[in-house]
Amino acid sequence: MDDRQKLLHEWTGRLLAAFEIDGTDVDIDAVLDLAGKAAHGVVRPAAPLTTFVVGYAAGLAVGSGQADEDVAMRSALGVADALCAEAATEGGTA
């Protein structure tokens, strides 16, 4: 693990602890991959917005009992990934 990866893992741990959701599995690579797709396929500011909405949607699905954490996150990531690919094909939406 390089310094950047270590820092990201530590930062994620701090965030999870601050929100009292320690033990939550965060696929950092998947989140960063999606952010990159949103930034390059849509427009740069779409990266943080996309990752926020994905997390929010997954949280709502878990909170309402629609899905467990893993299924909710994979589903939300999949939907956003498909939309990013569609936007990239269209040349962005902005």
Side-chain angles (χ1 to χ4, degrees):
M1 180 180 305
D2 65 20
D3 288 343
R4 180 175 177 244
Q5 289 173 318
K6 183 179 178 191
L7 180 61
L8 288 172
H9 281 276
E10 290 172 358
W11 176 246
T12 302
R14 287 179 63 187
L15 285 168
L16 294 172
F19 288 108
E20 298 178 359
I21 52 175
D22 300 65
T24 300
D25 185 32
V26 176
D27 186 341
I28 295 171
D29 292 332
V31 173
L32 294 177
D33 184 50
L34 176 61
K37 289 176 183 176
H40 298 292
V42 183
V43 63
R44 287 184 65 95
L49 181 60
T50 301
T51 56
F52 171 81
V53 172
V54 164
Y56 191 77
L60 287 175
V62 172
S64 68
Q66 289 179 314
D68 67 23
E69 285 182 23
D70 186 53
V71 170
M73 188 53 73
R74 281 189 288 117
S75 177
L77 284 167
V79 169
D81 189 52
L83 288 172
C84 287
E86 183 180 304
T89 312
E90 296 168 354
T93 59

